[in-house]
Amino acid sequence: MTLNIKERCQKVFQCIHEKTQQSIRTIASATGIPKSSVGRHLQSIKRRSQYPESYFWETEAGREWLSRLVFAVIYEFGIKGGIGSDSLSSFFHRLRLKEQFGYSASALRTLEVRLKEVILTYEQVQMESCQGSQQIGICVGADETFYNLPILVAIELASGFIFSEAVCENRTYATWWQQVSKWFNPQQWDCRSLVSDEAKAIVKLALTGLGCPSLPDVFHLLYALSKSMGAAIARQRVQLQKQQHALQQKLKTTSKTAEVPAVEAQITALQAQQQQLETEHQDYQQSLHQLSQAIHPFHIETCKPQLGLELPAALKAPLATLERLSQSHAPQKSQDALERWHKQIPALSGTLHSWWQWTLQSLQAQTQDTDTQNWVLMVLLPWVYWHQQTQKTRQPQLKQDYLQASQKAEAVVLAHPFTLSLSQSQQHTWVDWAIWICAKFQRTSSAVEGRNGYLSRLHHANRGFTEQSLQVLKTIHNFDLKRDDGTTAAQRLFDQQFPDLFEWVVQNMGDLPRSRRTFKPKLSRKPSIQIVPA
């Protein structure tokens, strides 16, 4: 008897069902998983396989890469970038990952909290591994950044390692010492100096708490001159340009011949004032460069060592020029800035003295040979120091001057007989030591200002910081952010390798959250609407 279409379809579906049941039995027998579980897994795989790329997520390599992708997005954009979980959830939705893991905003927030906890665990593990090592010489910079409440920041200036970064209600010595005492251990840290803006609480922190000299911040001293005298000169230049432009327009539009000579005379007078102002501006810029170039352990022209007793004479000429210019440009504010310079000259001399004392003590510990010591102090250190300054500065004129000093010192190194007598390994050893000790000369705490700029963007995005978020950002700064040479702050400070922070996080985060399936009642395509007459 011939079967109708309905019976044929039922027969086909029955055959497919029997083959499916046979395959389920085969899989269950091979894996030891119950048939009901195998069926659910097959249904889940079928549900997840909606797109051409879905097959990859079912493989082991695909699941591992997906986990890395999710953790990297939360790490780079959520924590380091300050992007919210709603935006990250929308990002994963556009990647068509709905069936692969739970990426709702609440699930991502939970995942971010877990990731922050793992990062803090990493810091604790690594810092414990550094305990008990030999005493490390450090040069600390301390300053405050302000976001509603002050954030007290203490940084090792040579390496960039952040020791403490915490929100506090005030900036007293007691508050500073409460934060610093958490990490400062005299058996581990040999604090040689503390550079700051000379706030009373920080000066007391250096002298009483850390037991080291308090050194003035050259950046703040130069900025005070720029904010007073430099700003005044810039305003006068703009005013003269506007006045000349107005007179030139008047000269073009005037119809009275009798007024032309008077207007031209006014323009000539303004041009003379502008030329005089340009000369004074050049003297101002040159004086600032001379101040900056003078506060170095080596003379920029001769590359010979400069001791602290020689610094006052080197600062005399540029300060005299600035004294003359201050009479015409912001007299009160610029005089206050210059008076601050004069008061800080003994402390600036102490900056040079402190570094030279550290250098000589370290060099004597390296070698007792007089010829080697003289070669290092007089030949090698000037070259390495000016090379470092060339790489650090961004001001074009200073960079050019530092480059010339570096090239001059390099020529002396290459031509010196003692250099030629050393083997290649000995040369590398002394160059590495010179790089280390030259990096210890720190005269500004501008690293804190750089940290301030980094945090300001995150503060705006997150609308504030929690204690945990600050600690996490500090850990990322110390163990993950790298300079051009590929080293982190922790590697430079402790002189040892640490496991990669992100790789460590990926290995300890566990599995991704599972996606949720919501069952909503289906609506008919044409819902019935009952209109009740009024």
Side-chain angles (χ1 to χ4, degrees):
M1 183 177 60
T2 305
L3 299 176
N4 56 28
I5 295 177
K6 183 177 181 181
E7 291 175 343
R8 287 180 180 179
C9 291
Q10 290 178 349
K11 188 69 174 178
V12 170
F13 290 153
Q14 183 178 1
C15 293
I16 294 175
H17 178 72
E18 290 177 354
K19 292 182 178 180
T20 302
Q21 293 297 321
Q22 292 177 359
S23 63
I24 291 176
R25 292 191 189 96
T26 303
I27 295 174
S29 176
T31 60
I33 301 175
K35 290 189 296 182
S36 58
S37 299
V38 172
R40 288 197 304 272
H41 287 307
L42 292 177
Q43 290 295 326
S44 298
I45 294 174
K46 181 180 179 180
R47 184 178 67 248
R48 294 195 296 265
S49 301
Q50 300 180 10
Y51 306 105
E53 71 276 8
S54 298
Y55 77 94
F56 180 59
W57 308 127
E58 301 300 329
T59 65
E60 182 178 358
R63 296 303 296 180
E64 291 181 357
W65 192 88
L66 179 61
S67 298
R68 176 178 292 272
L69 170 66
V70 175
F71 298 148
V73 168
I74 296 176
Y75 181 82
E76 291 291 340
F77 303 110
I79 297 178
K80 295 172 63 174
I83 297 177
S85 299
D86 293 321
S87 299
L88 298 184
S89 177
S90 176
F91 171 77
F92 288 121
H93 175 74
R94 296 182 185 279
L95 293 181
R96 303 190 298 196
L97 296 174
K98 179 179 179 181
E99 299 295 341
Q100 308 305 327
F101 77 102
Y103 59 72
S104 65
S106 59
L108 292 179
R109 277 191 288 269
T110 302
L111 205 59
E112 183 174 335
V113 170
R114 169 62 181 157
L115 198 147
K116 289 180 178 179
E117 293 174 351
V118 174
I119 291 176
L120 294 180
T121 303
Y122 171 90
E123 180 189 33
Q124 182 180 0
V125 171
Q126 304 309 321
M127 292 304 293
E128 288 178 355
S129 66
C130 298
Q131 299 296 328
S133 59
Q134 62 180 359
Q135 193 179 42
I136 301 174
I138 56 176
C139 177
V140 180
D143 206 347
E144 308 91 359
T145 61
F146 291 91
Y147 306 98
N148 299 330
L149 291 175
I151 298 178
L152 307 186
V153 184
I155 297 182
E156 206 286 317
L157 296 175
S159 63
F161 188 90
I162 300 178
F163 284 117
S164 60
E165 185 176 54
V167 178
C168 300
E169 295 182 357
N170 55 62
R171 298 172 289 158
T172 63
Y173 166 75
T175 306
W176 266 108
W177 179 243
Q178 181 182 4
Q179 298 300 324
V180 171
S181 60
K182 295 179 180 179
W183 59 265
F184 181 67
N185 181 8
Q187 281 72 35
Q188 184 177 12
W189 306 112
D190 178 19
C191 189
R192 292 287 182 154
S193 61
L194 188 148
V195 182
S196 69
D197 57 0
E198 293 293 283
K200 293 183 179 180
I202 303 181
V203 172
K204 185 178 180 181
L205 175 67
L207 301 178
T208 305
L210 299 177
C212 66
S214 176
L215 305 181
D217 190 330
V218 177
F219 170 80
H220 284 84
L221 294 174
L222 292 173
Y223 179 70
L225 289 173
S226 176
K227 189 169 61 173
S228 56
M229 192 181 305
I233 294 176
R235 286 194 298 268
Q236 292 183 24
R237 294 174 71 187
V238 172
Q239 290 174 2
L240 287 176
Q241 291 174 358
K242 288 183 178 179
Q243 292 174 6
Q244 289 186 54
H245 179 73
L247 290 174
Q248 289 173 356
Q249 293 297 323
K250 182 179 180 180
L251 188 63
K252 292 179 181 179
T253 58
T254 184
S255 59
K256 298 179 180 180
T257 308
E259 294 182 357
V260 173
V263 175
E264 290 179 345
Q266 291 178 1
I267 293 177
T268 303
L270 289 176
Q271 290 176 347
Q273 293 180 22
Q274 185 177 12
Q275 185 176 2
Q276 177 65 25
L277 187 61
E278 291 296 331
T279 303
E280 293 179 349
H281 181 258
Q282 292 178 2
D283 293 341
Y284 162 76
Q285 290 287 352
Q286 186 177 3
S287 299
L288 286 187
H289 290 168
Q290 289 175 355
L291 289 177
S292 180
Q293 292 172 355
I295 310 173
H296 290 291
F298 301 95
H299 292 279
I300 193 170
E301 296 180 356
T302 63
C303 294
K304 293 181 179 180
Q306 177 178 233
L307 304 179
L309 297 177
E310 305 172 15
L311 184 61
L315 298 178
K316 185 177 180 180
L319 289 178
T321 303
L322 293 172
E323 288 278 2
R324 174 176 56 83
L325 296 176
S326 67
Q327 303 300 324
S328 305
H329 308 287
Q332 182 61 43
K333 293 183 179 180
S334 58
Q335 283 292 337
D336 293 341
L338 288 171
E339 183 180 356
R340 185 178 175 186
W341 265 92
H342 287 292
K343 289 182 178 179
Q344 295 294 347
I345 288 179
L348 292 173
S349 300
T351 302
L352 299 177
H353 176 75
S354 176
W355 183 80
W356 275 113
Q357 184 181 22
W358 191 355
T359 301
L360 292 175
Q361 291 176 355
S362 179
L363 182 58
Q364 290 177 358
Q366 295 291 323
T367 180
Q368 298 294 326
D369 183 65
T370 305
D371 293 337
T372 304
Q373 292 179 354
N374 292 334
W375 174 78
V376 170
L377 294 175
M378 306 298 293
V379 178
L380 180 63
L381 285 182
W383 170 50
V384 174
Y385 179 81
W386 291 122
H387 179 75
Q388 285 187 352
Q389 296 302 313
T390 303
Q391 300 298 322
K392 288 170 59 177
T393 187
R394 297 181 180 178
Q395 210 284 333
Q397 183 60 47
L398 289 177
K399 195 177 189 69
Q400 181 64 29
D401 294 341
Y402 294 158
L403 178 60
Q404 293 178 0
S406 175
Q407 293 174 347
K408 186 185 303 183
E410 182 181 7
V412 175
V413 172
L414 297 178
H416 199 278
F418 192 86
T419 308
L420 303 177
S421 66
L422 296 175
S423 64
Q424 189 174 6
S425 61
Q426 290 175 326
Q427 292 178 4
H428 288 318
T429 300
W430 281 115
V431 168
D432 291 340
W433 179 87
I435 292 174
W436 170 79
I437 195 62
C438 287
K440 295 301 182 181
F441 181 81
Q442 298 291 331
R443 59 179 194 170
T444 69
S445 61
S446 54
V448 181
E449 302 299 335
R451 183 63 176 172
N452 185 18
Y454 179 83
L455 293 179
S456 61
R457 175 175 56 88
L458 297 179
H459 179 270
H460 177 75
N462 296 327
R463 297 177 179 85
F465 296 110
T466 64
E467 182 178 355
Q468 185 194 49
S469 63
L470 266 182
Q471 291 296 318
V472 169
L473 291 174
K474 178 173 72 72
T475 303
I476 291 175
H477 174 92
N478 291 337
F479 292 93
D480 186 56
L481 300 186
K482 298 179 180 179
R483 289 182 181 173
D484 294 338
D485 59 0
T487 61
T488 64
Q491 291 175 0
R492 293 187 293 270
L493 178 62
F494 295 100
D495 193 23
Q496 68 180 62
Q497 295 293 327
F498 294 93
D500 185 87
L501 173 57
F502 180 72
E503 296 296 334
W504 199 90
V505 167
V506 171
Q507 296 174 4
N508 291 271
M509 277 296 294
D511 297 330
L512 295 174
R514 294 183 179 180
S515 60
R516 294 182 179 180
R517 290 191 55 80
T518 57
F519 298 92
K520 298 181 179 180
K522 295 183 179 180
L523 299 177
S524 60
R525 293 185 178 180
K526 295 181 179 180
S528 58
I529 302 177
Q530 183 178 3
I531 301 177
V532 179

